[in-house]
Amino acid sequence: MTLTLAEAQAMAAAVQDAATTRALQPLAIVVLDAGSHDLVVLRSERAGFYRVEIARAKATSCLGMGLDGAELADRAKAAPAFYAALAATMSGGMLPMPGGVLLRDATGMVVGAVGVSGDTGANDDLAIRDGLTAVRQTS
């Protein structure tokens, strides 16, 4: 299966709604397909400098390593030199931290990733998870 534009748009909107509900700082949200191509880039008009690039790097990291950002952050703490080398070689950037989540279809196949930047990594991650839960409940 592939991630459709309509699905990606619904996810980005749901993540933004979750951020608003939680009263988070203004966010940038990037939804990538499995090939790391942008499907949706949503940036709050008050989101800070480089937020889109940071969100994209979080999502790209998840796709490149096959793990969610929180897990990547834990692994980067254990092997900082390895992750620094990855960051230097990945053209899309490597940002192993919370706020990036893999998207999987019903069979478990990776179909894309969402990256969020604007608040703390933990809050970025919460916005994604709340948004994805909301999308699943309405589909």
Side-chain angles (χ1 to χ4, degrees), residues 16 19-20 23-28 43-49 51 117-118:
Q16 180 58 51
T20 300
L24 300 184
Q25 295 296 313
L27 301 180
R43 181 190 167 275
S44 169
E45 64 275 6
R46 296 183 300 112
F49 195 66
R51 293 299 176 197
S117 178

Side-chain angles (χ1 to χ4, degrees), residues 3-134:
L3 181 63
T4 68
L5 176 59
E7 291 167 333
Q9 289 170 324
M11 287 177 198
V15 170
Q16 180 58 51
D17 289 346
T20 300
T21 298
R22 288 185 174 274
L24 300 184
Q25 295 296 313
L27 301 180
I29 302 159
V30 176
V31 182
L32 305 177
D33 68 13
S36 195
H37 302 102
D38 292 353
L39 283 174
V40 174
V41 176
L42 183 108
R43 181 190 167 275
S44 169
E45 64 275 6
R46 296 183 300 112
F49 195 66
Y50 276 117
R51 293 299 176 197
V52 169
E53 292 81 359
I54 294 167
R56 185 177 292 113
K58 288 180 180 184
T60 301
S61 298
C62 294
L63 287 169
M65 298 302 290
L67 299 166
D68 287 346
E71 175 68 20
L72 288 172
D74 290 341
R75 290 181 181 213
K77 288 177 193 168
F82 174 70
Y83 280 85
L86 283 176
T89 60
M90 286 185 65
S91 62
M94 169 56 103
L95 198 51
M97 52 187 318
V101 174
L102 289 171
L103 300 171
R104 298 179 184 275
D105 67 13
T107 69
M109 178 178 284
V110 173
V111 295
V114 178
V116 170
S117 178
D119 208 290
T120 66
N123 283 340
D124 294 345
D125 197 67
L126 281 172
I128 295 171
R129 294 182 189 283
D130 288 354
L132 294 180
T133 297

